Amino acid sequence: MSVGDVITAVLLPVGAAFSALGALGALRFPDLHSRLHAATKPQTIGLLLILGGVAPQAGTVSAAAPLLLVGFFQLLTAPVTAQTVAGAAYRAGVVDHATLTVDESRREGEDGPWFANRSGEHRPE
Protein backbone atom coordinates (compact mmCIF):
# COMPACT_ATOMS: atom_id res chain seq x y z
CA MET A 1 0.00 0.00 0.00
CA SER A 2 1.49 3.34 -1.06
CA VAL A 3 1.38 6.69 0.74
CA GLY A 4 -1.16 7.94 -1.82
CA ASP A 5 -3.45 5.03 -0.98
CA VAL A 6 -3.26 5.83 2.73
CA ILE A 7 -4.01 9.50 2.07
CA THR A 8 -7.00 8.50 -0.06
CA ALA A 9 -8.20 6.00 2.55
CA VAL A 10 -8.19 8.70 5.22
CA LEU A 11 -9.42 11.76 3.33
CA LEU A 12 -12.32 10.23 1.39
CA PRO A 13 -14.29 8.94 4.41
CA VAL A 14 -13.55 12.06 6.46
CA GLY A 15 -14.70 14.27 3.57
CA ALA A 16 -17.82 12.17 3.11
CA ALA A 17 -18.56 12.46 6.84
CA PHE A 18 -18.22 16.25 6.72
CA SER A 19 -20.56 16.42 3.74
CA ALA A 20 -23.10 14.09 5.36
CA LEU A 21 -23.07 16.06 8.61
CA GLY A 22 -23.51 19.29 6.66
CA ALA A 23 -26.52 17.84 4.85
CA LEU A 24 -27.96 16.61 8.14
CA GLY A 25 -27.47 20.05 9.67
CA ALA A 26 -29.18 21.71 6.70
CA LEU A 27 -32.19 19.48 7.33
CA ARG A 28 -32.28 19.70 11.12
CA PHE A 29 -31.28 23.25 12.05
CA PRO A 30 -34.19 25.53 12.94
CA ASP A 31 -33.51 28.79 11.12
CA LEU A 32 -32.23 30.08 7.81
CA HIS A 33 -28.84 31.30 9.02
CA SER A 34 -28.00 28.02 10.73
CA ARG A 35 -29.05 26.09 7.65
CA LEU A 36 -26.95 28.29 5.38
CA HIS A 37 -23.97 27.76 7.65
CA ALA A 38 -24.48 23.99 7.55
CA ALA A 39 -24.95 24.03 3.79
CA THR A 40 -21.74 25.93 3.07
CA LYS A 41 -19.03 25.37 5.68
CA PRO A 42 -18.99 21.58 6.17
CA GLN A 43 -19.94 20.94 2.55
CA THR A 44 -16.97 22.98 1.35
CA ILE A 45 -14.57 21.31 3.78
CA GLY A 46 -15.98 17.91 2.83
CA LEU A 47 -15.54 18.56 -0.87
CA LEU A 48 -11.97 19.80 -0.38
CA LEU A 49 -11.11 16.69 1.64
CA ILE A 50 -12.63 14.46 -1.02
CA LEU A 51 -10.70 16.28 -3.74
CA GLY A 52 -7.55 15.88 -1.65
CA GLY A 53 -8.26 12.16 -1.39
CA VAL A 54 -8.85 11.77 -5.10
CA ALA A 55 -5.75 13.75 -6.17
CA PRO A 56 -3.17 11.06 -5.25
CA GLN A 57 -5.10 8.56 -7.39
CA ALA A 58 -5.08 10.83 -10.45
CA GLY A 59 -1.61 9.69 -11.41
CA THR A 60 -0.31 12.85 -13.07
CA VAL A 61 -0.37 16.53 -12.24
CA SER A 62 -2.28 17.30 -15.43
CA ALA A 63 -4.98 14.83 -14.41
CA ALA A 64 -5.21 16.37 -10.93
CA ALA A 65 -5.27 20.00 -12.14
CA PRO A 66 -9.07 20.08 -12.66
CA LEU A 67 -9.45 19.10 -9.01
CA LEU A 68 -7.68 22.32 -8.02
CA LEU A 69 -10.08 24.31 -10.19
CA VAL A 70 -13.09 22.63 -8.61
CA GLY A 71 -11.76 23.40 -5.13
CA PHE A 72 -10.98 27.00 -6.05
CA PHE A 73 -14.42 27.66 -7.49
CA GLN A 74 -16.09 26.00 -4.50
CA LEU A 75 -14.16 28.30 -2.16
CA LEU A 76 -15.09 31.27 -4.33
CA THR A 77 -18.80 30.62 -4.86
CA ALA A 78 -20.10 29.02 -1.63
CA PRO A 79 -19.58 32.04 0.67
CA VAL A 80 -20.87 34.48 -1.95
CA THR A 81 -23.99 32.40 -2.49
CA ALA A 82 -24.68 32.08 1.24
CA GLN A 83 -24.21 35.82 1.76
CA THR A 84 -26.54 36.63 -1.14
CA VAL A 85 -29.27 34.26 0.03
CA ALA A 86 -29.03 35.50 3.61
CA GLY A 87 -29.20 39.13 2.51
CA ALA A 88 -32.21 38.47 0.28
CA ALA A 89 -33.99 36.63 3.08
CA TYR A 90 -33.27 39.47 5.50
CA ARG A 91 -34.60 42.08 3.08
CA ALA A 92 -37.69 39.96 2.39
CA GLY A 93 -38.39 39.84 6.13
CA VAL A 94 -38.30 36.06 6.53
CA VAL A 95 -35.49 36.07 9.12
CA ASP A 96 -36.49 35.46 12.74
CA HIS A 97 -34.89 38.40 14.53
CA ALA A 98 -35.14 36.68 17.91
CA THR A 99 -32.44 34.24 16.77
CA LEU A 100 -29.96 36.98 15.80
CA THR A 101 -27.32 37.86 18.36
CA VAL A 102 -26.23 40.98 16.50
CA ASP A 103 -28.24 42.69 13.79
CA GLU A 104 -25.97 45.22 12.11
CA SER A 105 -28.53 45.96 9.40
CA ARG A 106 -31.16 47.25 11.79
CA ARG A 107 -31.24 50.98 12.35
CA GLU A 108 -31.52 52.67 15.75
CA GLY A 109 -35.09 52.86 16.98
CA GLU A 110 -36.57 50.52 14.37
CA ASP A 111 -38.25 47.28 15.34
CA GLY A 112 -37.79 45.17 12.25
CA PRO A 113 -35.59 44.82 9.21
CA TRP A 114 -35.36 47.82 6.99
CA PHE A 115 -34.74 48.48 3.39
CA ALA A 116 -35.29 51.48 1.19
CA ASN A 117 -38.17 51.59 -1.20
CA ARG A 118 -37.94 53.55 -4.43
CA SER A 119 -38.97 56.82 -2.80
CA GLY A 120 -36.03 56.54 -0.39
CA GLU A 121 -38.16 55.96 2.71
CA HIS A 122 -37.12 53.26 5.10
CA ARG A 123 -39.85 51.02 6.33
CA PRO A 124 -39.83 48.30 8.98
CA GLU A 125 -41.03 44.80 8.18
Side-chain angles (χ1 to χ4, degrees):
M1 183 179 279
S2 70
V3 174
D5 291 340
V6 173
I7 291 171
T8 298
V10 171
L11 291 182
L12 283 179
V14 172
F18 265 92
S19 295
L21 290 173
L24 181 65
L27 291 173
R28 304 262 327 198
F29 284 157
D31 63 332
L32 176 78
H33 290 107
S34 299
R35 288 181 179 174
L36 279 174
H37 183 79
T40 54
K41 303 276 193 284
Q43 297 289 352
T44 301
I45 292 171
L47 177 66
L48 292 176
L49 289 171
I50 289 171
L51 292 174
V54 170
Q57 302 302 318
T60 64
V61 174
S62 62
L67 301 175
L68 288 173
L69 286 174
V70 170
F72 172 74
F73 284 117
Q74 177 70 19
L75 287 172
L76 186 70
T77 59
V80 173
T81 303
Q83 183 72 23
T84 303
V85 170
Y90 184 88
R91 287 186 300 278
V94 297
V95 173
D96 181 16
H97 293 279
T99 62
L100 298 178
T101 304
V102 176
D103 187 357
E104 294 177 352
S105 295
R106 186 179 296 179
R107 290 198 169 180
E108 286 288 326
E110 290 187 352
D111 293 333
W114 62 273
F115 51 91
N117 61 18
R118 292 194 177 196
S119 67
E121 300 172 1
H122 295 284
R123 54 189 165 118
E125 66 180 328

